Amino acid sequence: MADIAKPSYYVTTPIYYVNAAPHLGTAYCTILCDVQARFRRAMGFDTMLLTGLDEHGEKVADAAAEHDMTPQQWCDSLVPAFTDLWKTLEISNDDFIRTTEDRQTRAVQRLWEVLRDRGYVYKGTYDGWYCVPEETHFTETQVRHADEERHTEGQHLCPDCGRPLERVQEESWFFKLSAFQDQLLELYSAHPEFVEPEIRRNEVVSFVEGGLKDLSISRTSFDWGVPLPFDERHVTYVWFDALINYIAAVGYGDDSAAARSELSRRWPAQAHVVGKDIIRFHCVIWPAMLMAAGLPIPERVFVHGFLMVKNSQTGAGEKMSKSRGNAIAPQDVIDMLGVEGYRYYFMTDVAHGQDSSISFDRMEQVYNTDLANSWGNLVSRTVSMSAKYFDGRSPQLPAGWGERPSPLRDIARGLVERYAERMSEFDYAGGIGQVMELVHAANRYIEDSEPWALAKDPAKADELAFVIGGLLEAIRVSAHLLAPVMPETSAETLRRLSLGDEADSCDLSAVCSWGRMPGGVALAKGPALFPRLDVAR
Ligand code: MSP
């Protein structure tokens, strides 16, 4: 039963091509969304995280044939590679949509009918170029320019990925994208937050200002797709189909009362998170489709950059991708950093709006500095000291102890607000950076207040209790705030403080208010949360 008092927060990942095994790039985008969803849940939003798979299209049909399978069998065989990895990486998706599901077919066909009734689709002939790996159409002019730039000598290559193009001449249904130029420009100017960061918005605006052409949105040369409800020889263009997943998952096309109420509760989405290579689809075509159907536009498309790796021959940074053969398998990083170290590195060391170079050296450095030496060390030192000086428990402190000034309390004041402001803008380095200030301050506080010396002097017993209580409190607050990025270690830390029940709190401000650490609770030392890495290379 939905809690109507809570605002909805609906966030989506792109649906990934089922054909290509997930790699660090796709995992990165999925974790980015997962952190936002976990953060929103902790802030009390009625949150929904959607991910899924894009399973139609010529590329999938061709691959299935090569493997002597039906396209459906082929897709089914590939799904576990994604669902297993998402589970390992602690992705908390509330739903998982596949474009081969009935709910997707129903939604796509409904949209076709609505667009036909509203006069936004028409039948014509498509005569141009098609890139099967990228599932994208290109005009004669685009191809000519790209060929000139690349000196391809008679061979026509994809302007985006450089692979050979297919000449397509077939009957096709078209979407009147050209009718939406003004409305789209109005959208970008009235709602600049619709495309973020700004550099991507500028790119989208200048693309639309350059003029829009109607879009070919059906194919007849193969049949692995959603058939048009009124012209069965045609199947829906794979991108047109894929974008509709975002509304299909929340009830579009289903007339039951439950589905209607889900649609009005969830739509429009608060955020679509996508890579910079697919912004035209999400920031131009998708809002135009919604405008044509009379549906509300999502609040924002947050565009992230690419993970880059160094080319071993040239030393230059290049996009990591399966087709370039430079993709790092997520398992290799998990083996080195553990899942939570993996999540921490990608979420805090990569600037999400830009391209970012990643390397194993840097992973080791971030892990050791922030997790092993700072956060993990703080937890183990503090719990050990408390256990040692207070008989395995947290110290008893007088009521109102949290009001007494201390360097930790000063940082903790307003921390949730500073953190939340950044986290809600997908600035995880900024948000987590705020928490790490508390962690670093707590480690310094240990050095400055020297609990081991206080423990030797019975006259300083109250002071010792205050210091250790403050440190435990800093750990408790930090564990809550780090939880969206590292859910399991935060839950484990709270369990060690006998506060396991707090882990599910959905009122971050209340749970993080300073001074709530109870006295006299049992503390568990446990093994190091982040054992130091010493990778011999
Ligand atoms: N199926 C379409 C999306 C349809 S959404 C309605 C698709 N799939 S994809 O599997 O090719 O890519 C999905 C996402 O992975 C894109 O957002 C893309 O930017 C991202 N990445 C692929 N390689 C990447 C990096 N090296 N770095 C970061 N993300 C990258 O496109």
Side-chain angles (χ1 to χ4, degrees), residues 13-17 20 23-26 28-29 54 59 239 242-246 273-278 282 304-308 319-321:
T13 75
I15 49 170
Y16 303 108
Y17 288 130
H23 58 78
L24 282 188
T26 41
Y28 163 71
C29 182
D54 194 349
K59 200 166 41 169
W239 263 103
L243 289 162
I244 297 169
N245 91 86
Y246 301 130
V273 178
V274 303
K276 66 178 190 180
D277 51 336
I278 56 176
H282 284 84
H304 65 76
F306 290 148
L307 299 181
M308 313 283 282
K319 178 188 174 194
M320 185 170 51
S321 71

Side-chain angles (χ1 to χ4, degrees), residues 28-308:
Y28 163 71
C29 182
T30 312
I31 301 172
L32 198 60
C33 293
D34 182 65
V35 171
Q36 191 63 218
R38 288 177 181 274
F39 160 70
R40 297 286 172 167
R41 284 188 204 109
M43 293 293 286
F45 286 84
D46 168 22
T47 305
M48 164 154 170
L49 168 61
L50 176 70
T51 187
L53 293 173
D54 194 349
E55 303 189 358
H56 285 134
E58 200 172 346
K59 200 166 41 169
V60 174
D62 290 350
E66 273 167 36
H67 290 83
D68 274 336
M69 289 191 206
T70 64
Q72 189 66 61
Q73 286 169 335
W74 171 240
C75 292
D76 291 349
S77 75
L78 298 168
V79 173
F82 289 87
T83 47
D84 290 352
L85 181 64
W86 297 160
K87 206 164 160 211
T88 304
L89 291 174
E90 303 177 301
I91 304 303
S92 61
N93 52 300
D94 299 280
D95 198 350
F96 187 90
I97 190 164
R98 300 176 54 187
T99 51
T100 49
E101 288 174 46
D102 288 347
R103 56 178 173 165
Q104 174 77 6
T105 305
R106 202 164 47 210
V108 173
Q109 294 193 332
R110 173 63 59 86
L111 198 81
W112 270 109
E113 271 159 2
V114 170
L115 296 189
R116 189 192 51 172
D117 294 349
R118 294 169 68 106
Y120 287 112
V121 292
Y122 63 90
K123 199 151 146 173
T125 305
Y126 179 75
D127 185 357
W129 297 94
Y130 194 73
C131 172
V132 179
E134 299 274 303
E135 301 282 14
T136 307
H137 300 93
F138 293 99
T139 62
E140 200 65 56
T141 329
Q142 285 171 312
V143 173
R144 205 179 46 245
H145 284 156
D147 288 346
E148 279 165 13
E149 262 172 36
R150 287 202 165 98
H151 306 292
T152 57
E153 271 121 45
Q155 215 200 352
H156 302 297
L157 301 183
C158 171
D160 284 355
C161 71
R163 283 171 284 194
L165 290 165
E166 203 178 72
R167 178 83 202 182
V168 180
Q169 234 168 345
E170 62 184 359
E171 182 185 278
S172 176
W173 283 82
F174 285 81
F175 171 54
K176 283 192 188 167
L177 182 62
S178 59
F180 292 94
Q181 183 175 15
D182 293 345
Q183 272 187 72
L184 286 168
L185 291 172
E186 258 168 55
L187 166 71
Y188 310 137
S189 94
H191 295 284
E193 73 288 352
F194 174 68
V195 191
E196 276 180 347
E198 194 184 355
I199 175 174
R200 302 295 163 218
R201 179 163 62 247
N202 295 340
E203 204 177 307
V204 168
V205 169
S206 63
F207 174 74
V208 174
E209 280 173 346
L212 295 174
K213 285 204 164 55
D214 290 350
L215 187 71
S216 160
I217 52 167
S218 77
R219 305 283 311 266
T220 53
S221 51
F222 64 96
D223 63 3
W224 185 235
V226 179
L228 272 58
F230 43 80
D231 196 350
E232 294 253 323
R233 280 189 314 113
H234 288 250
V235 293
T236 311
Y237 167 46
V238 62
W239 263 103
F240 207 74
D241 172 1
L243 289 162
I244 297 169
N245 91 86
Y246 301 130
I247 48 176
V250 292
Y252 182 78
D254 180 342
D255 293 320
S256 69
R260 281 166 185 266
S261 106
E262 179 69 354
L263 188 65
S264 67
R265 166 181 170 212
R266 293 296 183 199
W267 195 258
Q270 276 56 53
H272 293 316
V273 178
V274 303
K276 66 178 190 180
D277 51 336
I278 56 176
I279 52 176
R280 285 187 195 170
F281 295 103
H282 284 84
C283 304
V284 181
I285 298 174
W286 179 227
M289 287 164 68
L290 293 165
M291 286 168 182
L295 289 166
I297 309 298
E299 286 177 19
R300 91 188 330 193
V301 179
F302 180 78
V303 186
H304 65 76
F306 290 148
L307 299 181
M308 313 283 282

